[in-house]
Amino acid sequence: MKNAISPSRMENFSEWYQQVISQSELAENSGVRGCMVIRPWGYGIWEQIQRELDKKFKDTGHTNAYFPLLIPLSFLQKEAEHVNGFAKECAVVTHHRLEQSSEGKLTPAGELEEPLIIRPTSETVIGASFSRWVQSYRDLPLLINQWANVLRWEMRPRIFLRTSEFLWQEGHTAHASCEEALAETLLMLDIYERFAVDHLAIPVIKGEKCSWERFPGAVSTYTIEAMMQDGKALQAGTSHFLGQNFAEAADIRFVNREGVKELAWTTSWGVSTRLIGAMIMTHGDDNGLVIPPLVAPTQIIIIPIVRSEQNAEAIHAYCEILKKNISRKKLKGQNLRVTIDKRDMSSSEKKWYHIKRGVPIRVEIGIKELEQNTVSYSHRDNINNTLTVETTRFIKDASKTLQTIQTGMLERAQKRLSDNIETVTTLTNFKKAFNRQGKPNTFVMAPFIDDITIEQAISELGVTVRCIPLVQPKTAVPCLFTGQPTKCWALYAKSY
Amino acid sequence: MKNAISPSRMENFSEWYQQVISQSELAENSGVRGCMVIRPWGYGIWEQIQRELDKKFKDTGHTNAYFPLLIPLSFLQKEAEHVNGFAKECAVVTHHRLEQSSEGKLTPAGELEEPLIIRPTSETVIGASFSRWVQSYRDLPLLINQWANVLRWEMRPRIFLRTSEFLWQEGHTAHASCEEALAETLLMLDIYERFAVDHLAIPVIKGEKCSWERFPGAVSTYTIEAMMQDGKALQAGTSHFLGQNFAEAADIRFVNREGVKELAWTTSWGVSTRLIGAMIMTHGDDNGLVIPPLVAPTQIIIIPIVRSEQNAEAIHAYCEILKKNISRKKLKGQNLRVTIDKRDMSSSEKKWYHIKRGVPIRVEIGIKELEQNTVSYSHRDNINNTLTVETTRFIKDASKTLQTIQTGMLERAQKRLSDNIETVTTLTNFKKAFNRQGKPNTFVMAPFIDDITIEQAISELGVTVRCIPLVQPKTAVPCLFTGQPTKCWALYAKSY
């Protein structure tokens, strides 16, 4: 049978990715360079992601706030490494109005005294508020999160993965001690891991970034790394321990219990709409998107199959009752999300429309189902297997079925990950692992020492250090590139 | 007794407003001109507003999406009135990176071929997507909403009321017929009215804007106008019937049932963080903010009163059980929002902290309440009246009590509005109505004809035409300014 998406993943993974996004109506490129439009289906997934993460943040004591989009250059300049890290990709606002010439051409006017940049991230502008809010140890910890758009000018944009503008959340916290800030950094990393695994069905490897992959200005950066179906790595979320660097830059000081003024310790952490890209490349197949049930805007789509106008009303009424009864059921505390596709369109068109969009369960209700009081349905991850069961049974099992689909997706992704990690102890094998013609890429665990000369050596192979995993092998092996003794192993991979 | 906010509303309403915002920790000015920081308490109110409006939008068939922050000049220029309306307040991005000079000074670099503006509103960029999405009558109606930040450069910024950057929702819809688009425009106006009245306890007057107060590019603009405690009007939400103007500009065309290509009809509508300003100025008193229970981030604050360490544990345990039991109760489908203030601070400090923040019910639990199994509490709108009731009774009545507070707030605001509208039929009385030394301003209903010369005449009195109310008096009176016969009455007021 012909697949809905061409090319297939095997033929051209990158083009397949674009086609899935376009045909599932997740998002599209806009007329604005590097900026995407997130269409309702894509935004619906983002809303599910937001809802769950927001709950996890609030359950751990964080509250939301909102800070300015525009940052004065003077703020950005306060942390030297930070400004160097972002200067090359800042959108700069220089004027505050437009003038129309006599020929009707618009030109910028009203030049600003100090240019403003659109936030690429908000440490500096949030730091300015924190320095006002934090006076005493009683004001700590200060646990803030912001849902916002940010902008980093991208030379080679790629929808959901690297767009100039993207949506994200950025957590920013201040603490009275180093230990507490470090614990917060790791707690948020754990929350990201749990969310990726439990909700997106994406297994991840937690670890610390090496020095040259750190967030500009951070003392240490932690990451969750996921494996896409082409064997490349995707950084899916990061959590930064900022030490006292940003507190010093923004003057965040507090009077401690002994009455002495101290610098605070800060963290920041974020995930973005990139998670949708990770979801597509982890679960999609040659028929389009496959959405994990827990984040699907519609979990069950009901398609009425009306071949004669005579039965139309009865079939539609049957669908409505079915929808109502399923919607009452819950999964992880949320009512099931069910939709009836009533559009004026052939049922075959509808079927493929929802397959490409990755709806977890597709129900078809025709005259036979009506007469026999049954439901015919397929799971998105096995579209050719249509099952028919009694309606009451289907309703009763709906939540469980969705959970089973969710678990199955995670297990397949976990197997793919564990099947495709190699441990390598020689340079020859390292090179071989990244040069297998016609086969998917792999993740490689190899010894590591934090020496910038390694970056040069591996970048020639198109490889990056993804992280130093928190879970480490016990043995010690010399560095493959420098021969120096090492104390840890790193995860190496080609990456997005 | 001394009040918590100085100056009082009577002494200086404008300064009182700033003080309430500052002392309730709702928001603050940032180091970025015209841009505010929305602090957790202010953002918490915005989250309640968002949740309820989002539900109302979805219940009426709208879905959320996200469109680019940056708009090319060429997009903006497509609708002539529109660009004229916004050209004077656009933030313009002209460069895409920063360069550091040898002295370390940062300067804009990488000049863009075409400048980009930060969206002041998104009709033009959303129109470009709509023209791709709408092909056939089957694609209509297209009902989209966006939650976003927008930027309009403000020369005289005022926190929540007129800030350069603000948060809002903007609905954008396309329809197959004029009638349907007009019905949508009015439906959304009704939704705004219901929300203002039922949730913010703010009565509003619905009406149409006169020609010179219309949204740039719209055929007609509808508004809800609210009265602040100083008698000034605040435009609290608008809904625009755009006719085919933007469809023409963006080329939004569809093939109708007869196979003929037609231009679509569009609408747009929005409310913003300005609603928080409206709430402050409608309900606040000389002790600070008074938040309507339905949008309060915390509806009931529990303050443990511990005078001896001996009872501390028992009192805290009692508070926890109380919180747990109240949290199970529901108001309008939502669990009650209850918090215990456990901070290391005197109970008097805590009391005033929560009064200034406008928490609807303040509960105090000390040894007496513990021993007698009672709850002592005050309503925010009557802080000196402390009541003591049995705990089970308090829990049982909590939802009803909050609803009573909500209703009371609305009734007071409704009375103030109806007590302060004057009907005026002569120019002398018109002028008198707006020139009462030492008294609050009033709203004036007077005859109206849509003639721009009126604007000049009334602006000298500091007055604007707020709207032509949908509900009209039956009599017809000549225009006070031009003597022309009129067919309707308008609402005139001083305004924010």
Side-chain angles (χ1 to χ4, degrees):
Chain A
M1 202 177 95
K2 202 172 161 297
N3 291 312
I5 304 294
S6 172
S8 68
R9 288 164 292 174
M10 282 295 282
E11 286 163 356
N12 185 339
F13 194 76
S14 165
E15 178 59 23
W16 165 86
Y17 176 75
Q18 305 286 350
Q19 282 299 319
V20 170
I21 290 171
S22 157
Q23 297 202 31
S24 62
E25 299 182 348
L26 276 187
E28 64 187 12
N29 290 311
S30 72
V32 190
R33 214 187 143 288
C35 295
M36 64 179 161
V37 172
I38 306 179
R39 300 186 66 174
W41 190 241
Y43 199 84
I45 296 170
W46 183 239
E47 288 181 308
Q48 296 300 328
I49 293 173
Q50 282 191 302
R51 186 177 46 70
E52 182 60 31
L53 282 175
D54 199 68
K55 185 177 179 303
K56 286 189 189 319
F57 298 158
K58 285 175 176 157
D59 286 349
T60 45
H62 303 83
T63 51
N64 290 328
Y66 187 77
F67 299 86
L69 171 74
L70 299 177
I71 303 180
L73 286 193
S74 57
F75 279 37
L76 200 68
Q77 240 164 335
K78 285 181 183 168
E79 219 293 334
E81 280 190 31
H82 189 67
V83 67
N84 286 336
F86 288 104
K88 292 199 185 67
E89 50 190 43
C90 283
V92 191
V93 177
T94 55
H95 295 74
H96 67 77
R97 58 188 169 86
L98 296 170
E99 260 174 20
Q100 203 144 17
S101 69
S102 51
E103 304 94 63
K105 194 170 141 44
L106 285 179
T107 51
E111 191 169 354
L112 300 177
E113 279 182 35
E114 184 186 15
L116 298 166
I117 64 150
I118 298 179
R119 62 183 162 219
T121 178
S122 302
E123 278 74 9
T124 56
V125 73
I126 292 181
S129 280
F130 275 25
S131 77
R132 289 187 291 267
W133 302 351
V134 173
Q135 301 295 330
S136 143
Y137 70 93
R138 292 181 196 182
D139 301 321
L140 297 174
L142 180 56
L143 307 173
I144 299 289
N145 178 60
Q146 167 170 269
W147 290 98
N149 53 344
V150 286
L151 205 137
R152 300 174 185 179
W153 203 265
E154 276 294 345
M155 284 306 171
R156 290 169 302 131
R158 192 141 186 210
I159 205 158
F160 284 123
L161 301 179
R162 265 195 321 269
T163 47
S164 288
E165 184 189 10
F166 57 89
L167 301 183
W168 80 343
Q169 61 66 220
E170 47 181 324
H172 295 269
T173 69
H175 306 264
S177 74
C178 174
E179 296 67 36
E180 200 187 294
L182 203 47
E184 166 81 8
T185 311
L186 292 170
L187 170 69
M188 299 324 288
L189 191 73
D190 282 348
I191 284 180
Y192 290 156
E193 178 196 30
R194 291 296 358 134
F195 176 73
V197 172
D198 296 344
H199 288 260
L200 298 175
I202 301 177
V204 293
I205 294 170
K206 283 193 294 188
E208 188 179 342
K209 287 284 183 189
C210 63
S211 61
W212 60 88
E213 299 276 359
R214 244 178 239 145
F215 177 75
V219 171
S220 49
T221 286
Y222 295 85
T223 179
I224 52 171
E225 299 283 329
M227 178 185 277
M228 304 297 97
Q229 287 183 65
D230 61 353
K232 285 194 190 170
L234 185 85
Q235 176 182 304
T238 48
S239 187
H240 315 295
F241 170 62
L242 304 175
Q244 297 180 308
N245 296 349
F246 284 87
E248 176 113 52
D251 197 26
I252 310 172
R253 283 167 210 276
F254 67 100
V255 176
N256 68 16
R257 281 172 196 272
E258 286 74 44
V260 179
K261 236 177 182 186
E262 281 190 52
L263 268 182
W265 300 79
T266 69
T267 82
S268 67
W269 27 275
V271 297
S272 74
T273 36
R274 182 170 235 227
L275 286 175
I276 299 176
M279 185 200 79
I280 300 167
M281 293 196 289
T282 301
H283 303 298
D285 67 20
D286 294 340
N287 288 313
L289 203 58
V290 181
I291 309 181
L294 289 177
V295 295
T298 295
Q299 293 165 321
I300 299 177
I301 182 76
I302 302 175
I303 303 177
I305 313 279
V306 179
R307 299 204 201 281
S308 135
E309 271 310 308
Q310 205 184 326
N311 312 315
E313 207 175 314
I315 289 175
H316 283 120
Y318 189 82
C319 290
E320 292 289 352
I321 293 168
L322 184 61
K323 175 185 164 176
K324 201 167 135 190
N325 284 310
I326 302 171
S327 304
R328 288 204 190 113
K329 299 283 170 183
K330 294 202 173 203
L331 180 58
K332 304 258 180 198
Q334 297 291 317
N335 285 93
L336 297 191
R337 298 181 286 275
V338 192
T339 309
I340 305 173
D341 187 345
K342 298 174 190 167
R343 290 175 303 164
D344 177 10
M345 191 190 277
S346 81
S347 51
S348 159
E349 270 182 281
K350 285 185 191 178
K351 170 181 162 178
W352 285 103
Y353 178 85
H354 296 288
I355 288 173
K356 286 190 284 188
R357 283 160 81 94
V359 179
I361 297 177
R362 193 182 74 257
V363 167
E364 296 187 350
I365 301 293
I367 185 70
K368 201 184 85 204
E369 286 77 15
L370 176 68
E371 284 171 1
Q372 299 177 349
N373 198 18
T374 57
V375 164
S376 294
Y377 68 99
S378 305
H379 296 180
R380 174 57 185 88
D381 55 1
N382 194 3
I383 57 169
N384 296 318
N385 186 28
T386 303
L387 304 163
T388 302
V389 295
E390 279 180 24
T391 301
T392 49
R393 161 66 53 187
F394 181 83
I395 295 165
K396 189 162 168 286
D397 289 348
S399 304
K400 205 172 65 188
T401 308
L402 288 166
Q403 185 58 61
T404 306
I405 294 172
Q406 178 87 24
T407 308
M409 290 177 74
L410 176 61
E411 283 169 359
R412 283 195 299 279
Q414 272 167 335
K415 181 169 189 312
R416 188 184 319 122
L417 176 59
S418 55
D419 285 353
N420 290 286
I421 300 188
E422 283 180 58
T423 298
V424 158
T425 53
T426 68
L427 188 55
T428 314
N429 286 342
F430 188 92
K431 288 182 177 170
K432 207 187 282 175
F434 288 111
N435 190 21
R436 294 217 172 84
Q437 298 300 328
K439 286 198 182 175
N441 299 293
T442 53
F443 279 13
V444 165
M445 280 290 282
F448 175 75
I449 185 165
D450 200 314
D451 180 333
I452 187 77
T453 60
I454 293 172
E455 190 195 14
Q456 176 68 28
I458 61 174
S459 78
E460 285 166 11
L461 304 169
V463 173
T464 52
V465 179
R466 302 316 304 159
C467 67
I468 300 137
L470 297 190
V471 179
Q472 284 280 324
K474 292 217 169 53
T475 53
V477 177
C479 173
L480 308 185
F481 306 97
T482 65
Q484 295 170 85
T486 68
K487 285 184 187 150
C488 62
W489 295 67
L491 183 72
Y492 298 80
K494 295 188 178 179
S495 69
Y496 283 95
Chain B
M1 200 179 97
K2 202 172 161 297
N3 291 312
I5 304 294
S6 172
S8 68
R9 286 164 294 173
M10 281 295 282
E11 287 163 356
N12 186 338
F13 194 75
S14 165
E15 178 59 23
W16 165 85
Y17 176 75
Q18 304 287 348
Q19 282 299 320
V20 170
I21 290 172
S22 157
Q23 296 201 33
S24 62
E25 299 182 347
L26 276 186
E28 65 187 13
N29 290 309
S30 71
V32 189
R33 211 187 146 288
C35 295
M36 64 180 160
V37 173
I38 307 178
R39 300 186 66 174
W41 190 242
Y43 199 84
I45 296 171
W46 183 240
E47 287 181 309
Q48 296 300 329
I49 293 174
Q50 282 191 302
R51 186 179 45 70
E52 182 60 31
L53 282 175
D54 199 68
K55 184 177 179 304
K56 287 188 188 319
F57 298 158
K58 284 176 177 157
D59 286 349
T60 45
H62 304 84
T63 52
N64 291 327
Y66 188 78
F67 299 86
L69 171 73
L70 299 177
I71 303 181
L73 286 193
S74 57
F75 279 36
L76 200 68
Q77 241 164 334
K78 284 182 183 168
E79 219 291 335
E81 281 190 32
H82 189 68
V83 68
N84 286 337
F86 289 104
K88 291 197 185 69
E89 49 190 44
C90 284
V92 193
V93 177
T94 55
H95 295 75
H96 67 76
R97 60 188 167 84
L98 295 170
E99 260 173 21
Q100 203 144 18
S101 69
S102 50
E103 305 94 64
K105 193 171 144 40
L106 285 179
T107 52
E111 190 170 356
L112 300 177
E113 279 183 34
E114 184 186 14
L116 299 166
I117 64 150
I118 298 179
R119 62 182 163 220
T121 179
S122 303
E123 278 74 8
T124 56
V125 73
I126 292 181
S129 279
F130 275 25
S131 77
R132 292 187 290 268
W133 301 352
V134 173
Q135 301 294 330
S136 143
Y137 69 92
R138 293 180 197 185
D139 302 321
L140 297 174
L142 180 56
L143 307 173
I144 299 290
N145 177 60
Q146 167 170 269
W147 291 98
N149 53 343
V150 286
L151 204 136
R152 299 173 186 179
W153 203 266
E154 278 293 345
M155 283 308 169
R156 291 170 301 134
R158 192 142 186 208
I159 205 157
F160 284 123
L161 301 179
R162 267 195 319 272
T163 47
S164 290
E165 183 189 10
F166 56 88
L167 301 183
W168 79 344
Q169 62 65 219
E170 47 181 323
H172 295 269
T173 69
H175 306 264
S177 74
C178 174
E179 295 67 37
E180 201 187 294
L182 204 45
E184 167 81 8
T185 310
L186 292 170
L187 171 68
M188 299 325 287
L189 191 72
D190 283 347
I191 284 180
Y192 289 157
E193 179 196 30
R194 291 300 353 137
F195 176 73
V197 173
D198 297 344
H199 287 262
L200 297 176
I202 300 178
V204 293
I205 294 170
K206 283 193 295 188
E208 188 178 342
K209 286 284 183 190
C210 63
S211 61
W212 61 87
E213 299 276 358
R214 243 178 239 147
F215 178 75
V219 172
S220 50
T221 286
Y222 295 86
T223 179
I224 52 170
E225 298 285 327
M227 177 185 278
M228 304 297 99
Q229 287 182 66
D230 60 353
K232 285 195 191 168
L234 185 85
Q235 175 181 305
T238 48
S239 185
H240 315 295
F241 170 63
L242 304 175
Q244 296 181 308
N245 296 350
F246 284 88
E248 176 112 53
D251 198 27
I252 310 173
R253 284 167 209 275
F254 66 100
V255 176
N256 68 16
R257 282 173 193 273
E258 287 73 44
V260 180
K261 235 177 184 183
E262 280 189 54
L263 268 181
W265 300 79
T266 68
T267 82
S268 68
W269 28 275
V271 296
S272 73
T273 36
R274 182 169 235 226
L275 286 175
I276 299 176
M279 185 199 79
I280 300 167
M281 292 195 291
T282 301
H283 304 298
D285 67 20
D286 294 341
N287 288 313
L289 204 58
V290 182
I291 310 181
L294 289 176
V295 294
T298 295
Q299 295 165 321
I300 299 177
I301 183 74
I302 302 175
I303 304 178
I305 314 279
V306 179
R307 300 204 201 282
S308 135
E309 271 312 306
Q310 206 184 323
N311 312 315
E313 207 176 312
I315 289 175
H316 283 121
Y318 188 81
C319 292
E320 291 289 353
I321 292 168
L322 184 60
K323 175 185 165 177
K324 201 168 136 189
N325 283 311
I326 302 172
S327 304
R328 285 203 190 114
K329 299 285 170 179
K330 295 204 172 198
L331 180 58
K332 303 260 178 196
Q334 297 290 317
N335 286 93
L336 297 192
R337 299 181 285 275
V338 192
T339 308
I340 306 172
D341 187 345
K342 299 175 192 165
R343 291 175 303 163
D344 178 8
M345 191 189 279
S346 81
S347 51
S348 159
E349 271 183 281
K350 284 185 191 177
K351 171 182 163 180
W352 284 103
Y353 178 85
H354 296 290
I355 287 174
K356 287 190 282 187
R357 283 160 80 96
V359 178
I361 297 177
R362 191 182 76 256
V363 167
E364 296 187 351
I365 301 293
I367 185 69
K368 199 183 85 202
E369 286 75 15
L370 176 68
E371 284 171 0
Q372 300 178 348
N373 197 21
T374 58
V375 165
S376 294
Y377 68 99
S378 305
H379 296 180
R380 174 59 185 84
D381 53 1
N382 194 3
I383 57 169
N384 296 318
N385 185 28
T386 303
L387 305 163
T388 301
V389 295
E390 278 181 24
T391 301
T392 48
R393 161 66 53 186
F394 181 83
I395 295 166
K396 189 163 168 287
D397 289 348
S399 304
K400 206 173 64 188
T401 308
L402 288 166
Q403 185 58 60
T404 305
I405 294 172
Q406 178 87 25
T407 307
M409 291 177 72
L410 176 61
E411 284 169 358
R412 282 194 301 279
Q414 272 167 335
K415 182 168 188 315
R416 187 186 316 123
L417 175 60
S418 55
D419 284 354
N420 289 288
I421 300 188
E422 282 181 60
T423 299
V424 158
T425 54
T426 68
L427 187 54
T428 313
N429 286 342
F430 188 92
K431 286 183 179 169
K432 208 186 284 175
F434 288 112
N435 191 21
R436 294 216 173 83
Q437 297 302 327
K439 285 196 180 176
N441 299 293
T442 53
F443 279 14
V444 166
M445 279 291 282
F448 176 76
I449 185 163
D450 200 314
D451 180 332
I452 187 79
T453 59
I454 295 173
E455 190 195 14
Q456 176 68 24
I458 60 173
S459 78
E460 285 166 12
L461 305 169
V463 174
T464 52
V465 178
R466 302 317 303 158
C467 66
I468 299 137
L470 297 191
V471 178
Q472 284 280 324
K474 291 216 166 58
T475 54
V477 176
C479 174
L480 309 186
F481 306 98
T482 64
Q484 297 170 81
T486 68
K487 287 185 186 150
C488 62
W489 295 66
L491 183 72
Y492 299 80
K494 295 189 178 179
S495 69
Y496 282 96

